[in-house]
Amino acid sequence: MANKDWTKVNPALSQPVISCINKQRFKAMTPIQAAVIPLILSCKDVVAEAVTGSGKTLAFVVPMLEMLIKKERDTPLRKDFVYAVVISPTRELATQIFTVIQLFLQEQELSHITIALLVGGRPVEADVETLQKGAHIAVCTPGRLEDLLSERKHLNLAGRLKELEFLVLDEADRLLDLGFSATLTTILQYLPRQRRTGLFSATQTKELQDLVRAGLRNPVVVSVKEKSTISTPILLENYYVLVEPQDKFLFMLNFIRNRKILKGLFFLPTCACVDYWADVLPVFLPDIKIFAIHGKMKQKRSKILEKFRQADNTILLCTDLLARGLDIPEVEWVLQWEPPTNPACLVHRVGRTARGGAAGCSLLPLLPTEDTYVPFIRANQMVELKDWRRSKDEIKITDKLKDKVLSILHEQQKKDRSVFDKGQKAFVSHMRAYSKHECNLLLQFKELPLGHIATSYGLLKLPIMPEIKEEHRQQFFGPKEKIDFNSIQYKDKQKEVSRLQKLEEYRKSGVWPSKKKKKMAQTQPWEQAKNNKEEKKQRKKKRKELKQKEGDKKGKKRKAVTQEELDELAADVALIKKLKKRKITEEQFEKEFDIGE
């Protein structure tokens, strides 16, 4: 389906919407927009599947605003009602959708329509206050929306949603991957059935079909693909390269140096890997701005992402947190350290470039033992990976260059113990993630040369892991000189003082203080983790209430007995004092004291 003009496809679009489209210079209507917008405006539920970067956001934003304009013609929009809800899997994607809608609301004719961004990372009370001021459109993450629906003390959100016109589930398959299934079921129970629902996704799964049956009524399924043989944009060139494990970092470093990348994304396996390479890469790439973002950064993520958007000649190190929905048109290259744990995630990773009709490239380095991944991903995800060495210039790695780069990596760890610690954690977390790969029949952990990989990380020593065997120790190439690891200091003075105190105690007792064996954290779906946390909170609350009740019982019993005794004793003492001062006679004293009885 060819791209069409906005006004020709649907002349019913109102002037404020068309005006904003022209001002923002949105390109001609994409196939997914041309297919979906008329369906939603004709009051149909829609399930839309299209390749990433095909314009799905405008496909639901435009009809959403049209529905609000139409409703207002019949009845003025009430300040305390929410008429449209957009649910997104991550706060970054929610913020991006919020920004797109705000562009439309800058039009004078639409400025009275209010919008709220409801995401985690801030107190629920702040969002309650925002909703109390009024929001006709709510863009939110599922966890925060569920929290607000259950908050009845200051806000009756369920009551505000009784006039809901339009519900959007964006990146719906990702919502289910993150474990939001039960949360979505809870949310749907609060929403009115007489509504329009749009479900947008880049891939269709069985779980998604179950959600469709639960939340949509006779939906129209729209599947738009640009080309039948591939699942990525036409102008996206995907490359792979086979490299030896000990040379992977050197290859990627030279690759970045030899290309003037204005904006690039570099996907790494774990949060610990992001932290480590964010510390060491700036030394090798002084002319490139290096940013880092991952899921454990709660408050900083939006600020870092905004800085990355504004910067040029920059690379963002990230995890699969940013593999979905992120729309930065200037991204030229998507680099990956290794294949993602989920094959479908490769499509979403590379889809961060070549967006909106622009060209883009991606590169995936593979170990010689991983070469079967190329035909697998072609058959499984319809992604064609071309050999970089055959189509482009080959990057030479010399022994002299290896020694120089390893020496710099070693020096960084010697200067600051925190870099040394991060390197150890990055390697261990990487190996743990690789062992849980969904494609473990192709990418087998037992075939990995762990010593060579540790060399690529530039580690000073191999970490203590049961998986490391003698053959891996022989593969490892560490510093030439012998190192006293206890002499490596933290740059942070407070941390160094604490380390020295513990080291002294260890030398005396032979046991490292406060060292407890920690169980390996198991990856849990978001919903299960939240339920476990809530159960723990309830158990703690019950113990506290029980303890308080027992204390009250003991306190009341002690208070009743003691007070009676004290009152009697005080009366007797007062009587004796009166007798001593001869204010009463002995007969009166005996009578009052009941001696006769």
Side-chain angles (χ1 to χ4, degrees):
M1 188 186 293
N3 290 5
K4 299 182 180 180
D5 183 71
W6 285 91
T7 52
K8 288 180 180 178
V9 170
N10 198 323
L13 292 179
S14 60
Q15 188 55 43
V17 175
I18 292 294
S19 175
C20 184
I21 289 170
N22 294 334
K23 281 183 183 178
Q24 299 303 326
R25 297 181 180 178
F26 290 124
K27 296 182 180 180
M29 188 177 286
T30 62
I32 188 67
Q33 293 162 356
V36 168
I37 291 175
L39 289 172
I40 296 176
L41 290 178
S42 61
C43 298
K44 301 284 187 182
D45 284 357
V46 174
V47 178
E49 177 190 6
V51 294
T52 182
S54 57
K56 291 193 289 290
T57 302
L58 283 187
F60 62 77
V61 168
V62 169
M64 175 194 299
L65 294 172
E66 284 294 332
M67 290 170 79
L68 292 180
I69 292 169
K70 183 180 178 182
K71 184 172 184 64
E72 191 174 27
R73 287 172 188 161
D74 301 331
T75 310
L77 300 179
R78 287 182 52 176
K79 178 184 174 182
D80 55 338
F81 277 3
V82 179
Y83 296 95
V85 172
V86 181
I87 301 178
S88 170
T90 65
R91 60 186 77 166
E92 285 75 25
L93 185 51
T95 303
Q96 183 174 286
I97 295 167
F98 175 78
T99 305
V100 172
I101 298 174
Q102 277 191 318
L103 294 176
F104 285 87
L105 301 187
Q106 289 173 2
E107 291 296 310
Q108 187 175 359
E109 295 90 337
L110 300 174
S111 59
H112 63 284
I113 297 176
T114 55
I115 184 172
L117 177 64
L118 312 172
V119 296
R122 59 188 179 193
V124 177
E125 291 75 22
D127 288 336
V128 169
E129 188 177 343
T130 301
L131 287 170
Q132 285 174 340
K133 292 177 182 177
H136 299 132
I137 303 171
V139 182
C140 51
T141 48
R144 179 47 57 96
L145 181 58
E146 184 185 27
D147 290 340
L148 289 167
L149 284 167
S150 60
E151 209 284 333
R152 296 296 186 89
K153 188 175 180 181
H154 302 291
L155 178 74
N156 181 17
L157 182 55
R160 291 171 179 261
L161 289 167
K162 65 182 182 181
E163 294 290 327
L164 183 73
E165 288 284 323
F166 192 31
L167 169 67
V168 176
L169 300 177
D170 192 30
E171 297 292 349
D173 55 337
R174 182 62 175 161
L175 286 168
L176 299 176
D177 288 343
L178 291 174
F180 285 116
S181 179
T183 299
L184 291 175
T185 303
T186 303
I187 290 170
L188 291 173
Q189 291 172 355
Y190 283 98
L191 305 182
R193 294 186 178 182
Q194 295 295 328
R195 65 169 193 272
R196 297 281 65 80
T197 304
L199 193 148
F200 293 80
S201 175
T203 54
Q204 292 288 329
T205 62
K206 181 182 178 299
E207 292 80 5
L208 203 58
Q209 292 169 2
D210 294 339
L211 182 62
V212 168
R213 286 194 289 271
L216 284 75
R217 297 181 304 164
N218 300 321
V220 178
V221 179
V222 177
S223 183
V224 176
K225 295 182 180 178
E226 295 186 23
K227 195 174 180 182
S228 60
T229 56
I230 60 171
S231 60
T232 55
I234 295 174
L235 296 178
L236 172 59
E237 295 184 75
N238 297 307
Y239 296 99
Y240 78 94
V241 62
L242 294 179
V243 294
E244 294 298 326
Q246 65 271 29
D247 298 337
K248 185 182 281 190
F249 174 64
L250 288 165
F251 177 86
M252 297 302 291
L253 183 61
N254 278 347
F255 184 89
I256 295 170
R257 280 174 170 172
N258 293 349
R259 252 136 226 99
K260 293 181 179 179
I261 301 175
L262 291 178
K263 256 188 183 62
L265 290 179
F266 195 167
F267 285 95
L268 294 162
T270 66
C271 300
C273 291
V274 172
D275 287 336
Y276 174 62
W277 292 116
D279 272 6
V280 300
L281 262 181
V283 176
F284 296 97
L285 303 169
D287 299 329
I288 297 177
K289 294 175 185 175
I290 304 293
F291 294 100
I293 192 169
H294 56 70
K296 292 182 180 177
M297 297 177 179
K298 299 299 181 184
Q299 308 296 335
K300 299 178 182 178
R301 278 160 35 184
S302 56
K303 291 181 181 178
I304 293 170
L305 197 55
E306 187 57 34
K307 287 180 181 177
F308 174 69
R309 288 179 186 274
Q310 301 298 328
D312 288 326
N313 197 23
T314 177
I315 290 178
L316 176 63
L317 308 181
C318 58
T319 59
D320 284 333
L321 171 78
L322 296 187
R324 295 293 190 102
L326 182 69
D327 185 24
I328 302 177
E330 300 87 1
V331 173
E332 299 173 332
W333 274 94
V334 170
L335 308 175
Q336 305 172 72
W337 184 259
E338 68 176 15
T341 54
N342 183 346
C345 194
L346 183 74
V347 177
H348 298 291
R349 278 184 178 184
V350 300
R352 296 314 99 213
T353 184
R355 298 181 70 81
C361 300
S362 74
L363 178 68
L364 173 64
L366 296 171
L367 305 183
T369 57
E370 299 171 338
D371 59 341
T372 52
Y373 189 78
V374 177
F376 164 76
I377 207 68
R378 185 192 303 123
N380 187 272
Q381 294 295 322
M382 293 187 293
V383 177
E384 185 70 36
L385 296 176
K386 304 174 187 175
D387 191 342
W388 172 263
R389 295 189 190 276
R390 289 183 182 178
S391 57
K392 303 289 177 180
D393 56 307
E394 188 169 338
I395 298 171
K396 294 181 180 179
I397 298 173
T398 63
D399 291 338
K400 186 178 179 181
L401 180 62
K402 285 182 186 179
D403 292 341
K404 184 179 179 181
V405 169
L406 282 177
S407 176
I408 295 173
L409 285 171
H410 293 160
E411 283 302 316
Q412 288 188 73
Q413 294 177 65
K414 290 177 192 175
K415 288 179 182 177
D416 188 358
R417 194 177 188 89
S418 66
V419 180
F420 169 75
D421 290 344
K422 286 178 181 178
Q424 298 284 307
K425 289 177 182 176
F427 176 77
V428 173
S429 67
H430 178 193
M431 295 303 99
R432 294 282 187 263
Y434 197 98
S435 66
K436 296 175 183 177
H437 212 293
E438 286 187 16
C439 305
N440 52 19
L441 291 176
L442 298 175
L443 312 178
Q444 296 187 16
F445 179 77
K446 64 182 181 181
E447 292 185 6
L448 286 182
L450 302 186
H452 288 324
I453 296 173
T455 301
S456 181
Y457 271 79
L459 301 184
L460 292 178
K461 67 169 187 175
L462 283 170
I464 300 171
M465 293 174 65
E467 295 87 353
I468 292 179
K469 312 298 181 186
E470 184 57 36
E471 59 179 299
H472 302 138
R473 293 187 179 90
Q474 292 175 3
Q475 296 165 354
F476 179 64
F477 184 76
K480 295 177 181 178
E481 74 280 7
K482 192 175 181 180
I483 297 175
D484 178 11
F485 294 103
N486 288 330
S487 65
I488 301 175
Q489 299 182 357
Y490 287 109
K491 274 190 177 179
D492 188 318
K493 293 181 180 179
Q494 250 184 341
K495 288 182 76 174
E496 180 57 21
V497 169
S498 175
R499 184 187 76 87
L500 291 174
Q501 289 174 349
K502 291 178 180 179
L503 186 61
E504 185 62 29
E505 194 173 332
Y506 170 72
R507 284 170 178 164
K508 290 178 181 178
S509 63
V511 179
W512 190 264
S514 304
K515 188 172 182 180
K516 297 178 181 177
K517 289 185 179 180
K518 293 183 179 179
K519 294 181 180 178
M520 285 300 297
Q522 298 294 322
T523 304
Q524 292 181 327
W526 180 90
E527 185 64 35
Q528 186 179 344
K530 184 179 179 183
N531 288 340
N532 291 343
K533 188 176 179 181
E534 189 63 31
E535 286 174 8
K536 188 177 179 181
K537 187 178 177 181
Q538 291 298 326
R539 287 197 300 268
K540 188 176 179 182
K541 186 179 178 182
K542 284 181 180 178
R543 285 198 300 269
K544 188 176 179 181
E545 288 176 353
L546 186 62
K547 190 175 180 181
Q548 190 175 358
K549 284 180 181 178
E550 290 176 353
D552 289 344
K553 285 179 182 178
K554 290 179 182 177
K556 285 178 182 177
K557 187 178 179 181
R558 185 166 56 251
K559 185 178 178 182
V561 173
T562 306
Q563 191 61 44
E564 188 178 350
E565 290 175 351
L566 284 173
D567 290 344
E568 289 180 2
L569 184 60
D572 292 344
V573 170
L575 204 59
I576 292 170
K577 284 182 178 180
K578 285 182 180 180
L579 178 64
K580 283 184 176 181
K581 291 178 181 180
R582 296 184 178 181
K583 290 183 179 180
I584 58 173
T585 62
E586 287 186 7
E587 291 179 359
Q588 288 175 327
F589 173 79
E590 290 176 1
K591 185 178 180 182
E592 291 290 332
F593 209 76
D594 295 332
I595 291 178
E597 293 182 6

